[in-house]
Amino acid sequence: MTQLAPVLDEIDSSLDASVQRLFELLRIKTISTDPAFAGECRKGAEWLVKELKSIGFDASVRDTPGHPMVVAHHAGATSDAPHVLFYGHYDVQPVDPIELWHDDPFAPAIKESDKGAKIITGRGSSDDKGQLMTFVEACRAYKKVHGSLPCRVTIFFEGEEESGSPSLKPFLDANKDELKTDIALVCDTSMYDPQTPSICVSLRGLVGEEVVVKAASRDLHSGYYGGAAANPIRILAKALADIHDENGRVTIPGFYDGVEETPTQMLEAWEKLGKTPEKFLGAIGLGIPSGEKGRSILELTWARPTAEFNGITGGYTGAGFKTVIPAEASAKVSFRLVHKQNPDKIRDAFRAFIRARIPADCTVEFHPHGGSPAIQLPFDSPELTKTRNALAEEWNKPTLLLGGGGSIPVVGDFQTYLGITSLMVGFALDDDRIHSPNEKYNLNSFHKGQRSWARILDALAK
Amino acid sequence: MTQLAPVLDEIDSSLDASVQRLFELLRIKTISTDPAFAGECRKGAEWLVKELKSIGFDASVRDTPGHPMVVAHHAGATSDAPHVLFYGHYDVQPVDPIELWHDDPFAPAIKESDKGAKIITGRGSSDDKGQLMTFVEACRAYKKVHGSLPCRVTIFFEGEEESGSPSLKPFLDANKDELKTDIALVCDTSMYDPQTPSICVSLRGLVGEEVVVKAASRDLHSGYYGGAAANPIRILAKALADIHDENGRVTIPGFYDGVEETPTQMLEAWEKLGKTPEKFLGAIGLGIPSGEKGRSILELTWARPTAEFNGITGGYTGAGFKTVIPAEASAKVSFRLVHKQNPDKIRDAFRAFIRARIPADCTVEFHPHGGSPAIQLPFDSPELTKTRNALAEEWNKPTLLLGGGGSIPVVGDFQTYLGITSLMVGFALDDDRIHSPNEKYNLNSFHKGQRSWARILDALAK
C-alpha cells in the first residue's frame, strides 16, 4: 500500500480541481447524432487530447468519416504488468425536451440532490464524460505522485457511441496493432446501488431501425379524403401494435432464435437482491412490468430481449388541430438482444414483418441505426478477480457481478477486432437520468470512481 | 337580363383589380390554430372591414374571446327580395411542412398549373379567402353598376373555422337578431369537377380529440428500463390500432348509432358519375379505398363516418437515433360523422375506448378540439331551385347536388341559432390542395365564381 496510499490522498486533495476540469468538458456540446454539433464533437476530442498530453500521454485526435476518435498511450513503470486499454465516449445524447431541464444542460454545476447527495449536473455528467474522467484523473494523480503509471495504458475515447458507432469497427480494424492490449477496461456502466461496487458481465445487444410509411403523394384534407385514402399513421400504428402479443412477447417470427433461458442459479441470486417491480419502477412513477409476463424485473432488463418504440411522428403535431391525412408517418424502433440473437436476422425479420402490413398502394422505407449482438463475459479471469477485490476494498463491500440491460457495442468489437475481453466497471447510479432531462453524476461516484481506478491499476500491476 | 348583363361585364373588365385585392388578403398570415398569429388574424378582419366599407357596407370587427368576427350589412334595392346572409372564413390552415411548398405560402401569385390552367397560389387562396372574395367582388360590381344590391345582404366572416370555431355558437346566440335572415349562402365547398356547378346538400360532422398517454415520470433509457417500463408509444399505437377492424369499420362501441344506409336511388345517381377508386385516389398516388369494404368511393367520402389519425408524436423524432422510452406520446384523432351520429356520445365513447386500453400505472388526458353533427339540407326549396338555375346558366351545364365529406359546422349552427337553412355553393376544385402545401385556386373559379354570385343574387331577388 505504500504505492497506493499517497495516490488516494492526492485524489482526495485535488477533487475540486478535477471537478473543474470535468466542467470544462461538460460545457462542450458533443451531441453526436445531430450533424449540427459536429464542430462541438471535434472540440471535445481536442480538449481530451490536450488534457491527456498534460499528464504525459502521447495523445492525438484521429479523424474518421464521422466524429473523431481520441487515442493516447503511456508507458508502464514495469514491463511485466499488463497493458490495459481504457475505453469511454465523449459524445452525449440530445437534450430535448429542453423545457424539462431545470438548468442549462451544458452549464454544469455542483448541487444538492433531493436525497441530500452532492451531484454534478449536466448532459454527459454521468454518460459518459463523468465516468471517463474518473480514469483520467486517477492517472493524473498516480503520475503526479509517482511520476509513472503502474501499468502500460492505452486510452481510447469514441465520439459516436450515442449515434450507433458507425466508425468504430473500421477504426478498430485499421488500428488493431496499435490498440491491441492484454485487457480492456470499459467505464460506461452503473453500480447496483450507491453502496455496492459492481462489474457488469453481460450486456444486451441492440438493433436500431427507422421505419417510414408513405401513403398519398401529399398531405390530404381528412374531410375530402377521409374514409377513402390510406392513412399512414393508422398503418404504422397497426404494424407497431402487432409487434407485441397480449403477454408482452414479441411476435416477429424468429425473434427468439438464439435466446437461452437464464440459469436457475443466476435467477436465484438476482431474486435475493429483492428488486420488486414496485421498487424498480416506483422511482419513475410506474409499477407494472411491461415485458414478458411471468419473469422478474431483473431478468426482463438483464437477460430478456425487447422491442421498444423510441420515437414516432406523423401529421400535424403543433398547437391546436389540423384535419389532415398526412403523406407519411415514421417511427424509430429498437430491439435489445440477448445471448445468440443475430442482429442482421432480427433486422431482416422486422422489415419483413412491417412490409407484410403495408397496403399495396403504399410504400415503406427503412433506415438502419446500428446493430450489435449481446455480450457474455467470462466469470473467472484473474483480472476479474483482482478488480473485484480492488473495488471491494474501496467500497468496503463485496463486488456484485450483474447483467447490463443496455448495449455497449464496443465490448463485442474489442473481442472481434482486438481479441481481448473487457472489464466493465462503472460508477453511475440508477437515478442519474442518463438520456433524460436533468442528467447528473454523484460527486461521490466521481470521487470514489477515481480512487477505484487507482486501486484497480495498482492491483492489475501486481 | 338588363339588370345582370352589365354587372357581368363589370366583373370581366375588373378581374385584374379583383385579383390584386385578393392578393392583399392572402398576404395576411391568418393561421387561427396557432396563438402566435393572433395579430395577423385581427389584421385580416380589419382588412375585410375596410374593403366592405368601400363598397358601402356598414361593416365592423367584432371581438370574441378568440379571433374576431366580421359583420357587415347592406340594404337591398327592393324590400320584397329575400334577406341573405353570406358566410365565409378568413382564417387559414397552418403551412407546415413548409419545405414542401414551391413558393412562399403568403406571397400569392398567378401561375400556370401543370394542367395549363391559370391559378392563384398561396395558403387560403381556395380555403376560404378566394371563395369568400368571389361574393365580395360580385357585390362590388353590382354596386358599381347599379348603385345598389338586388337583395338585402348581411355578410358574416369567421376567423376560427380552421381551429374548431370556439367562439361561433356564443356569437350567433348573442347576435341572433342582427344575423337572422331568410337564407344563408355559404361559400366553402367544391365543384364536382371544373365544368360542373355544384350545390352541397349534406355535410359530414366532425369530432376532434387530442389524446395524451403518460407513462413514466420522465424519459427513460431503453437499455436500462426496456422490457420493464411501460412505453406510451406502444400503448398509444395499440389503442389506435384497435379502432379499425380488418374490414375498415370503426370498432368503438355505439359508433354507428344514428348512421343510416344511403338510399339506393342516391347511390345509383352517384354510381353514374363513374368515380372509381383509381380515378379518385390515382391523383394522389393511391388506389385502394381504406374505408369500410364493399362501399363506393363517393359513399365512403360523402355518406359514411370515419375515424382518422391527423397527427401523432412521441419520443425522439429528430435526426439520428435516441434509445429513449418517452414519458408520453400523443395523437390527434378526428371523426367524420353522418346523419344522426351524436358528437358528444362519439367523444365519450372514444374516451372510454382509449381509457380501457391504458395500463393501471399509466394515465391518459384528452383535449377536445371541436364537435358538430352532420347536416342534411332540403332538396326542394324555391331558393335552391333559383340557385341551381342561376349556376346552370353561368356554367352552361346542369347543377349537381352532392354530398360533402368535410364539416362546415356553421351550417348546423345557422339552423340552430338563427333558424335558417343554407345553400352551400363553392367553386373550389378537388386539386386545390386545401390544408396541404401548394394550395391554389383556379383563376376561372375566382372569375366565374364572381359571375355566379351576381346571377344568384339577381335570381333570388326575382
Side-chain angles (χ1 to χ4, degrees):
Chain A
M1 290 296 284
T2 49
Q3 281 283 86
L4 192 56
V7 176
L8 300 179
D9 290 345
E10 167 63 20
I11 287 171
D12 295 348
S13 63
S14 63
L15 181 61
D16 287 350
S18 70
V19 167
Q20 291 307 316
R21 285 188 288 269
L22 173 59
F23 280 9
E24 287 185 31
L25 180 58
L26 291 176
R27 289 188 192 107
I28 307 173
K29 301 170 182 172
T30 53
I31 300 169
S32 60
T33 199
D34 187 339
F37 292 88
E40 289 283 296
C41 289
R42 176 163 296 273
K43 198 173 146 192
E46 287 167 351
W47 185 92
L48 285 163
V49 164
K50 175 181 67 77
E51 281 299 300
L52 290 168
K53 281 182 173 172
S54 77
I55 314 174
F57 275 84
D58 174 14
S60 55
V61 171
R62 300 292 184 88
D63 286 339
T64 74
H67 304 300
M69 309 287 187
V70 170
V71 178
H73 301 286
H74 198 293
T78 63
S79 61
D80 53 350
H83 178 187
V84 302
L85 176 68
F86 179 83
Y87 169 89
H89 63 89
Y90 67 82
D91 64 320
V92 299
Q93 282 275 321
V95 296
D96 60 285
I98 186 69
E99 65 273 14
L100 297 186
W101 287 79
H102 302 143
D103 304 286
D104 181 342
F106 295 109
I110 298 274
K111 298 179 75 168
E112 188 163 318
S113 77
D114 48 16
K115 296 174 184 166
K118 282 196 174 174
I119 56 173
I120 300 165
T121 63
R123 172 58 88 225
S125 55
S126 175
D127 182 18
D128 185 46
K129 290 173 174 175
Q131 300 245 60
L132 71 83
M133 286 299 285
T134 59
F135 188 84
V136 173
E137 294 297 342
C139 289
R140 183 190 302 276
Y142 218 107
K143 188 75 183 295
K144 184 170 179 189
V145 171
H146 296 296
S148 65
L149 297 183
C151 303
R152 184 177 162 196
V153 173
T154 292
I155 283 179
F156 175 47
F157 292 145
E158 188 191 4
E160 301 180 324
E161 200 272 347
E162 302 293 6
S163 53
S165 296
S167 309
L168 182 62
K169 287 180 173 67
F171 189 85
L172 291 177
D173 196 33
N175 297 278
K176 56 168 77 100
D177 292 339
E178 180 180 358
L179 295 172
K180 181 159 174 53
T181 63
D182 297 308
I183 193 160
L185 305 175
V186 172
C187 190
D188 199 16
T189 49
S190 298
M191 293 168 63
Y192 178 73
D193 64 31
Q195 291 77 41
T196 310
S198 310
I199 302 176
C200 177
V201 294
S202 70
L203 283 174
R204 292 197 288 192
L206 180 70
V207 167
E209 279 278 289
E210 185 168 2
V211 50
V212 185
V213 176
K214 300 191 172 191
S217 52
R218 59 178 174 82
D219 284 1
L220 306 173
H221 187 299
S222 76
Y224 188 77
Y225 284 103
N231 185 321
I233 299 176
R234 176 175 150 197
I235 296 163
L236 181 63
K238 181 77 173 73
L240 295 182
D242 283 351
I243 289 177
H244 296 89
D245 71 12
E246 68 280 10
N247 293 314
R249 272 179 72 89
V250 174
T251 62
I252 297 171
F255 182 76
Y256 289 95
D257 290 355
V259 177
E260 294 157 16
E261 286 299 321
T262 308
T264 311
Q265 193 183 350
M266 221 155 170
L267 287 179
E268 285 172 357
W270 293 346
E271 191 67 26
K272 282 186 194 141
L273 294 170
K275 192 74 112 181
T276 62
E278 294 70 28
K279 281 185 191 166
F280 185 78
L281 295 172
I284 51 165
L286 297 173
I288 306 170
S290 67
E292 299 162 89
K293 287 201 192 344
R295 297 181 188 271
S296 75
I297 278 287
L298 291 183
E299 188 185 8
L300 285 173
T301 54
W302 290 352
R304 297 300 299 178
T306 70
E308 289 291 353
F309 309 140
N310 306 114
I312 190 165
T313 186
Y316 184 68
T317 59
F321 211 86
K322 186 172 171 182
T323 50
V324 67
I325 299 178
E328 62 178 61
S330 66
K332 297 183 204 269
V333 179
S334 63
F335 301 92
R336 299 282 167 180
L337 312 186
V338 300
H339 310 126
K340 298 190 172 65
Q341 279 180 302
N342 181 312
D344 295 332
K345 285 187 181 171
I346 297 283
R347 189 186 305 282
D348 290 347
F350 167 71
R351 292 182 176 189
F353 183 91
I354 297 291
R355 280 201 188 93
R357 285 157 177 81
I358 305 299
D361 59 347
C362 298
T363 58
V364 61
E365 285 178 7
F366 297 95
H367 304 283
H369 286 276
S372 62
I375 298 289
Q376 186 71 53
L377 295 167
F379 285 81
D380 52 2
S381 73
E383 291 87 358
L384 178 67
T385 303
K386 288 176 181 175
T387 302
R388 284 183 86 160
N389 293 341
L391 284 167
E393 280 186 42
E394 172 61 28
W395 296 82
N396 202 25
K397 194 173 178 189
T399 301
L400 180 68
L401 300 189
L402 47 69
S407 299
I408 307 182
V410 74
V411 175
D413 294 335
F414 284 168
Q415 182 74 51
T416 305
Y417 291 93
L418 310 181
I420 57 174
T421 58
S422 300
L423 288 170
M424 286 181 275
V425 178
F427 310 97
L429 295 176
D430 291 356
D431 65 353
D432 278 358
R433 291 184 291 272
I434 64 169
H435 294 212
S436 293
N438 304 310
E439 181 176 351
K440 62 87 180 165
Y441 196 47
N442 281 30
L443 184 61
N444 194 52
S445 291
F446 189 58
H447 182 194
K448 289 177 76 73
Q450 297 178 32
R451 291 173 54 100
S452 296
W453 285 122
R455 288 183 189 272
I456 291 168
L457 286 177
D458 191 67
L460 289 174
K462 277 172 181 160
Chain B
M1 292 296 286
T2 48
Q3 281 283 86
L4 193 56
V7 176
L8 300 179
D9 290 346
E10 168 62 21
I11 287 172
D12 294 348
S13 63
S14 63
L15 181 62
D16 287 351
S18 70
V19 167
Q20 291 307 317
R21 285 188 287 267
L22 173 58
F23 279 10
E24 286 185 32
L25 180 57
L26 291 175
R27 288 187 194 107
I28 308 171
K29 301 170 183 174
T30 54
I31 300 169
S32 60
T33 200
D34 187 339
F37 292 89
E40 289 282 297
C41 289
R42 175 163 297 273
K43 198 172 148 192
E46 287 168 350
W47 186 91
L48 285 163
V49 165
K50 175 181 66 77
E51 281 299 299
L52 290 168
K53 282 182 173 172
S54 77
I55 314 173
F57 276 83
D58 174 15
S60 56
V61 172
R62 300 292 184 87
D63 286 339
T64 75
H67 305 300
M69 309 286 187
V70 171
V71 178
H73 302 286
H74 198 292
T78 63
S79 62
D80 52 350
H83 179 186
V84 304
L85 177 69
F86 179 84
Y87 168 87
H89 63 89
Y90 67 83
D91 64 318
V92 299
Q93 282 275 322
V95 296
D96 59 285
I98 185 69
E99 65 275 14
L100 297 186
W101 286 79
H102 302 141
D103 304 286
D104 182 340
F106 294 109
I110 298 274
K111 298 178 76 169
E112 188 163 317
S113 77
D114 48 15
K115 295 171 183 167
K118 280 195 176 175
I119 57 172
I120 299 164
T121 63
R123 173 56 89 227
S125 55
S126 175
D127 182 18
D128 184 46
K129 290 173 174 174
Q131 300 246 63
L132 71 84
M133 285 298 286
T134 59
F135 187 84
V136 173
E137 294 296 342
C139 290
R140 183 189 301 277
Y142 217 106
K143 188 76 184 292
K144 184 170 180 187
V145 171
H146 296 295
S148 65
L149 297 182
C151 305
R152 184 175 161 199
V153 173
T154 293
I155 283 179
F156 175 48
F157 293 144
E158 186 191 4
E160 301 180 325
E161 200 273 346
E162 303 291 9
S163 53
S165 296
S167 308
L168 182 62
K169 287 179 173 69
F171 189 84
L172 291 177
D173 196 33
N175 298 278
K176 56 167 76 100
D177 292 338
E178 180 181 357
L179 295 172
K180 180 159 174 56
T181 63
D182 297 308
I183 191 160
L185 305 174
V186 172
C187 191
D188 199 16
T189 49
S190 298
M191 296 169 59
Y192 178 73
D193 64 30
Q195 292 77 41
T196 310
S198 311
I199 302 175
C200 179
V201 294
S202 70
L203 283 173
R204 293 197 286 191
L206 180 70
V207 168
E209 279 279 290
E210 185 167 0
V211 50
V212 185
V213 176
K214 300 191 172 191
S217 51
R218 59 176 173 85
D219 285 2
L220 306 173
H221 187 298
S222 76
Y224 188 75
Y225 285 102
N231 184 321
I233 301 177
R234 176 174 151 198
I235 295 162
L236 181 62
K238 181 73 173 73
L240 296 181
D242 282 351
I243 289 177
H244 295 89
D245 71 13
E246 67 282 9
N247 294 313
R249 272 179 73 88
V250 173
T251 61
I252 297 170
F255 182 76
Y256 288 96
D257 290 355
V259 177
E260 294 157 15
E261 286 298 321
T262 308
T264 310
Q265 195 184 348
M266 219 156 170
L267 287 178
E268 285 171 357
W270 293 347
E271 190 67 28
K272 282 186 193 139
L273 294 170
K275 192 74 110 183
T276 62
E278 294 71 26
K279 281 184 191 165
F280 185 79
L281 296 172
I284 51 166
L286 297 174
I288 305 170
S290 67
E292 297 163 273
K293 288 202 192 344
R295 298 183 188 270
S296 75
I297 278 288
L298 291 183
E299 188 185 9
L300 285 173
T301 54
W302 289 352
R304 298 298 300 176
T306 70
E308 290 289 354
F309 310 139
N310 305 114
I312 190 165
T313 187
Y316 184 67
T317 60
F321 210 86
K322 185 173 171 181
T323 49
V324 67
I325 299 178
E328 63 178 61
S330 66
K332 297 183 202 268
V333 179
S334 63
F335 301 92
R336 299 282 167 180
L337 312 186
V338 300
H339 310 126
K340 299 191 172 63
Q341 280 180 301
N342 181 312
D344 296 331
K345 286 188 179 170
I346 297 284
R347 191 187 304 282
D348 290 347
F350 167 72
R351 291 181 176 188
F353 184 91
I354 297 292
R355 279 202 189 94
R357 285 159 177 80
I358 306 298
D361 59 346
C362 298
T363 58
V364 62
E365 284 178 8
F366 297 95
H367 304 283
H369 286 278
S372 61
I375 297 288
Q376 186 72 53
L377 296 168
F379 286 82
D380 52 3
S381 73
E383 291 87 358
L384 178 67
T385 304
K386 286 176 182 176
T387 302
R388 283 183 86 161
N389 293 341
L391 283 167
E393 278 185 41
E394 174 60 28
W395 295 83
N396 201 25
K397 193 172 177 189
T399 302
L400 180 68
L401 301 188
L402 47 69
S407 299
I408 306 182
V410 75
V411 174
D413 293 334
F414 284 167
Q415 182 73 53
T416 303
Y417 291 93
L418 309 182
I420 58 174
T421 59
S422 301
L423 288 169
M424 285 182 273
V425 178
F427 309 98
L429 296 176
D430 292 355
D431 65 354
D432 279 357
R433 290 185 291 273
I434 65 170
H435 294 210
S436 294
N438 303 309
E439 180 176 351
K440 60 87 179 166
Y441 197 47
N442 280 30
L443 184 61
N444 194 53
S445 291
F446 189 57
H447 182 194
K448 288 176 79 70
Q450 296 179 33
R451 291 173 54 99
S452 297
W453 285 121
R455 289 182 188 273
I456 291 168
L457 286 177
D458 191 68
L460 289 174
K462 278 174 182 158

